[in-house]
Amino acid sequence: MADVSPIDVQKALKGAEYPAKGDDLVSLAERNGADDRVVERLRSSGTKRYDGPDDVQKALFGGDG
């Protein structure tokens, strides 16, 4: 998968409220003008619900983020 940094994801999800559905975070990232690579990484994670930013990092990058 294309190189995406955790910082890119944090910027893309600025203003997110948790818990959040994966689709809602994809939409937020698009509204925030996120790079297509970030949006696709979120979309392809397969995670249906995130309890917080740590869950997003774990889903996208594995481990503890």
Side-chain angles (χ1 to χ4, degrees):
M1 173 112 5
D3 190 38
V4 173
S5 78
I7 293 171
D8 293 334
V9 174
Q10 289 174 359
K11 289 178 183 177
L13 299 180
K14 182 175 180 160
E17 294 183 21
Y18 297 93
K21 291 188 222 176
D23 290 342
D24 292 339
L25 294 185
V26 168
S27 295
L28 175 62
E30 290 172 334
R31 286 193 308 272
N32 282 342
D35 186 282
D36 289 342
R37 296 171 302 157
V38 174
V39 173
E40 184 54 35
R41 187 84 175 250
L42 284 165
R43 186 175 283 127
S44 66
S45 76
T47 303
K48 300 289 186 211
R49 180 178 184 261
Y50 298 95
D51 289 327
D54 289 342
D55 280 352
V56 176
Q57 296 297 320
K58 287 177 187 175
L60 300 187
F61 302 104
D64 293 326

